[in-house]
């Protein structure tokens, strides 16, 4: 039991335990531990008279001879593995390590070299003939797996030039998706439909690649609109420019832009280009832009209809129809009966505001419901010394509900971001509408409750309103009291 070979196998078993149990948990510490075990193992072999560069001694005992040969072969194979781990852990960039390609290729080469060295030094086999034979065999195998080798070398090129990395959103050969894995054969993409598509490296190396994740904080989006040619391009461009200003997620640098893409008898094509700082925002911002473009075009009097279709009436519409159009763009009033709309339209008053003009300040109690007809408003809340923009309001959106419904002081500053036109209606004119359409009251109270909750989550100054009941129910009770309603 005192023979040094026993301790050699014990060290090999210890190395296997460290490898399989991942002890210690830190990768670098674990590698250093294995290197230490390997150094002790090497010293033990040489001390016992075993050299991995020669055949094992102990000819008098066949058992000891075989055991020595096994330890020498293990020395070569373990050394090859540790060499590849040192390269992978200490020298390769993190991105290359995630892709595994270089580690796999280098490991295969080092293990092949270790096997050949074991055959030549430990077993003293004639490797020259083996190498010559293997060369001819390699030619035959290479021809048989030509496409696979093409993928391997293409993978080396891709990993070296780094057109994309794991986690990027790319388009390769017309296939768009998120890069899940890059290995020696192919790139794995997760598409927007949840499917995994495997693109061979040879195809990716020759294809046109679009990497939407670079630059990391800059992602462009484009929407195209077909507008009737009867609309003056200058008016359309102004309306679409306001739509871009109404989206907080759009970056100011690079500046968004609108251009006339083309013109024909049936329509004129306009392109809206914007940039966001997160790939995940592109779809949501594109949808928001479509909605804002629709509302701002409608506010500019540009009808969204089939190109070439004649107008139902002349361009000059009377003020009453204009006011009804403003009310119909408000989601709250869109489903009201024509008679109620007509009565409410008569109570509307028009106001024009210049950019930078303040409409509502914190602490004021509004008795007006204000409806944005055109332009963009900015809503800003105070959090200590910091001013935070909470929202932007465009055509069809409203403000002032807090004071109108329940006499709640405003917690935000609302100002005109651009030149804007608003219509307002007083509380007395809304009370009859509330009585005949109680669903409007519930919708407005829900919106006010949502806004108050958003401000609370942001940590802004709390409202003076306190109640043991839910805030929504408190609002309903206040509306009953202020407007003398039965809901």
């Amino acid at each position: 039991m005192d023979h040094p070979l026993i301790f050699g196998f014990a060290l090999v078993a210890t190395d296997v335990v460290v490898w399989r149990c991942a002890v210690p948990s830190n990768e670098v510490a674990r590698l250093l531990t294995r290197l230490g075990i390997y150094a002790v193992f090497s010293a033990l072999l040489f001390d016992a008279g075993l050299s991995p560069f020669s055949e094992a001694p102990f000819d008098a005992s066949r058992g000891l001879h075989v055991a020595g040969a096994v330890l020498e072969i293990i020395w070569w194979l373990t050394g090859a593995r540790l060499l590849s781990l040192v390269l992978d852990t200490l020298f390769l960039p993190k991105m290359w390590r995630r892709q595994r390609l270089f580690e796999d290729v280098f490991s295969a080469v080092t293990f092949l070299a270790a096997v050949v060295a074991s055959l030549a030094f430990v077993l003293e086999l004639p490797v020259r003939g083996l190498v010559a034979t293997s060369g001819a065999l390699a030619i035959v195998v290479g021809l048989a797996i030509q496409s696979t080798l093409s993928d391997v070398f293409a993978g080396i090129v891709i990993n070296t030039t780094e057109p994309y990395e794991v986690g990027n959103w790319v388009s390769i050969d017309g296939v768009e998706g998120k890069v899940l894995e890059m290995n020696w054969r192919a790139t794995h993409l997760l598409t927007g439909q949840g499917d995994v598509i495997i693109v061979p490296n040879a195809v990716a190396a020759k294809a046109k690649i679009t990497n939407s994740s670079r630059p990391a904080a800059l992602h462009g989006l484009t929407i195209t609109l077909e507008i009737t040619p009867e609309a003056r391009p200058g008016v359309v461009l102004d309306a679409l420019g306001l739509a871009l200003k109404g989206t907080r997620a759009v970056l100011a640098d690079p500046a968004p832009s609108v251009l006339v893409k083309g013109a024909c008898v049936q329509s004129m094509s306009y392109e809206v280009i914007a940039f966001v700082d997160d790939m995940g925002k592109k779809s949501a911002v594109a949808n928001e832009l479509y909605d804002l473009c629709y509302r701002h075009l409608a506010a500019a009097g540009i009808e969204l209809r089939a190109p070439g279709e004649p107008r139902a009436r002349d361009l000059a519409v009377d003020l009453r129809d204009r006011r009804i159009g403003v009310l119909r763009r408000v989601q709250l009033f869109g489903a009201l009966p024509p008679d109620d709309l007509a009565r409410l339209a008569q109570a509307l008053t028009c106001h024009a505001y210049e950019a930078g003009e303040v409409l509502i300040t914190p602490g004021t109690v509004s008795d007006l419901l204000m409806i944005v007809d055109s332009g963009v408003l900015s809503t800003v809340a105070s959090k200590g010394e910091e001013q935070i923009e909470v929202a932007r309001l465009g055509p069809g959106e409203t403000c002032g509900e807090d004071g109108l419904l329940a006499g709640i002081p405003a917690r935000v500053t609302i100002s005109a971001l651009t030149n804007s036109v608003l219509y307002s209606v007083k509380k007395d004119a809304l009370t009859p509408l509330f009585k005949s359409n109680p669903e409007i009251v519930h919708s407005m109270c829900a919106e006010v409750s949502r806004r108050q909750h958003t401000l609370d989550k942001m940590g802004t100054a709390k409202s003076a309103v306190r109640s043991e009941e839910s805030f929504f129910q408190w609002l309903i009770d206040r509306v009953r009291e202020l407007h003398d309603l039965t809901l």
Side-chain angles (χ1 to χ4, degrees):
M1 295 299 294
D2 294 333
H3 200 282
L5 296 187
I6 298 176
F7 295 102
F9 283 105
L11 287 173
V12 171
T14 303
D15 182 68
V16 172
V17 171
V18 171
W19 167 52
R20 295 297 297 174
C21 299
V23 179
S25 57
N26 181 272
E27 189 176 12
V28 175
R30 185 166 61 253
L31 175 59
L32 294 177
T33 301
R34 295 190 66 187
L35 287 173
I37 295 174
Y38 185 70
V40 175
F41 178 55
S42 302
L44 179 68
L45 289 185
F46 285 102
D47 187 62
L50 293 172
S51 172
F53 300 95
S54 63
E55 187 179 7
F58 313 119
D59 293 335
S61 174
R62 182 168 181 79
L64 291 177
H65 178 79
V66 172
V70 169
L71 285 178
E72 290 181 354
I73 293 174
I74 292 176
W75 185 90
W76 281 105
L77 298 180
T78 303
R81 178 56 181 162
L82 290 177
L83 180 61
S84 63
L85 285 177
V86 168
L87 175 70
D88 180 50
T89 304
L90 302 180
F91 297 103
L92 285 184
K94 288 185 178 180
M95 188 189 71
W96 290 12
R97 294 186 60 204
R98 291 170 62 189
Q99 295 160 3
R100 313 304 302 170
L101 176 64
F102 283 97
E103 183 193 0
D104 292 343
V105 173
F106 188 76
S107 296
V109 172
T110 53
F111 268 103
L112 179 61
V115 169
V116 172
S118 300
L119 294 176
F121 294 118
V122 179
L123 301 182
E124 295 187 348
L125 294 178
V127 295
R128 290 185 179 180
L130 178 63
V131 170
T133 305
S134 63
L137 181 62
I139 296 176
V140 176
V141 174
L143 292 175
I145 59 172
Q146 185 175 2
S147 61
T148 302
L149 291 176
S150 176
D151 289 331
V152 172
F153 287 106
I156 295 175
V157 172
I158 290 173
N159 280 267
T160 303
T161 57
E162 300 179 2
Y164 52 84
E165 60 186 70
V166 174
N168 285 173
W169 190 274
V170 299
S171 175
I172 305 175
D173 197 33
V175 179
E176 187 173 356
K178 180 180 179 181
V179 180
L180 292 181
E181 180 185 347
M182 298 170 62
N183 55 37
W184 58 271
R185 178 186 172 273
T187 297
H188 296 233
L189 300 180
L190 177 65
T191 68
Q193 290 74 37
D195 302 322
V196 175
I197 295 182
I198 299 175
V199 181
N201 288 332
V203 174
K206 298 177 182 179
K208 176 182 177 181
I209 300 173
T210 302
N211 191 337
S212 300
S213 297
R214 295 180 184 172
L218 185 65
H219 308 280
L221 62 93
T222 302
I223 64 174
T224 303
L225 300 169
E226 299 291 334
I227 306 296
T228 172
E230 297 174 6
R232 181 180 172 182
V235 177
V236 177
L237 292 174
D238 289 342
L240 297 180
L242 290 174
L244 283 170
K245 290 184 178 180
T247 309
R248 289 189 298 144
V250 170
L251 296 177
D253 185 23
S257 60
V258 184
L259 67 147
V260 182
K261 193 67 175 176
C264 63
V265 177
Q266 294 295 320
S267 66
M268 293 189 69
S269 178
Y270 296 83
E271 194 170 78
V272 179
I273 303 171
F275 299 89
V276 294
D277 59 4
D278 187 349
M279 183 68 188
K281 296 180 180 178
K282 288 184 66 172
S283 298
V285 173
N287 291 337
E288 184 180 1
L289 274 177
Y290 274 117
D291 180 71
L292 285 169
C293 290
Y294 176 92
R295 287 191 277 141
H296 282 280
L297 288 171
I302 300 172
E303 298 179 8
L304 301 179
R305 54 189 174 84
E309 180 184 335
R311 289 180 181 269
R313 60 176 65 191
D314 191 71
L315 284 172
V317 295
D318 55 44
L319 182 59
R320 176 175 174 275
D321 287 345
R322 174 72 178 182
R323 290 174 173 174
I324 290 177
V326 170
L327 291 174
R328 287 197 181 279
R329 287 200 295 272
V330 180
Q331 189 174 4
L332 284 171
F333 305 137
L336 285 178
D339 293 342
D340 288 339
L341 272 180
R343 282 192 294 270
L344 189 58
Q346 293 176 357
L348 291 178
T349 304
C350 184
H351 303 275
Y353 297 90
E354 295 184 358
E357 192 170 350
V358 177
L359 287 70
I360 295 177
T361 57
T364 59
V365 180
S366 174
D367 63 347
L368 298 174
L369 177 68
M370 289 179 279
I371 304 170
V372 183
D373 178 33
S374 64
V376 181
L377 305 183
S378 176
T379 302
V380 177
S382 299
K383 183 179 179 181
E385 298 296 327
E386 185 181 3
Q387 300 294 312
I388 304 174
E389 188 177 41
V390 179
R392 292 185 181 179
L393 306 178
E397 295 183 283
T398 60
C399 57
E401 296 94 335
D402 310 59
L404 175 75
L405 287 175
I408 302 174
R411 300 171 61 184
V412 295
T413 300
I414 300 179
S415 58
L417 190 64
T418 66
N419 292 342
S420 305
V421 175
L422 281 78
Y423 283 86
S424 62
V425 57
K426 293 185 177 180
K427 178 176 67 175
D428 295 341
L430 285 171
T431 298
L433 184 68
F434 290 163
K435 291 181 178 179
S436 59
N437 299 274
E439 68 278 1
I440 292 180
V441 177
H442 286 271
S443 297
M444 293 179 70
C445 287
E447 178 63 19
V448 170
S449 180
R450 184 191 65 80
R451 292 178 183 175
Q452 294 286 332
H453 181 64
T454 299
L455 292 174
D456 290 340
K457 287 177 63 178
M458 292 175 57
T460 60
K462 297 289 184 181
S463 171
V465 175
R466 294 291 184 270
S467 174
E468 295 181 359
E469 301 175 351
S470 69
F471 186 73
F472 176 79
Q473 186 59 47
W474 182 89
L475 280 175
I476 295 294
D477 294 339
R478 286 289 291 169
V479 174
R480 290 195 187 104
E481 179 183 344
L482 292 179
H483 296 269
D484 192 24
L485 300 180
T486 302
L487 299 175

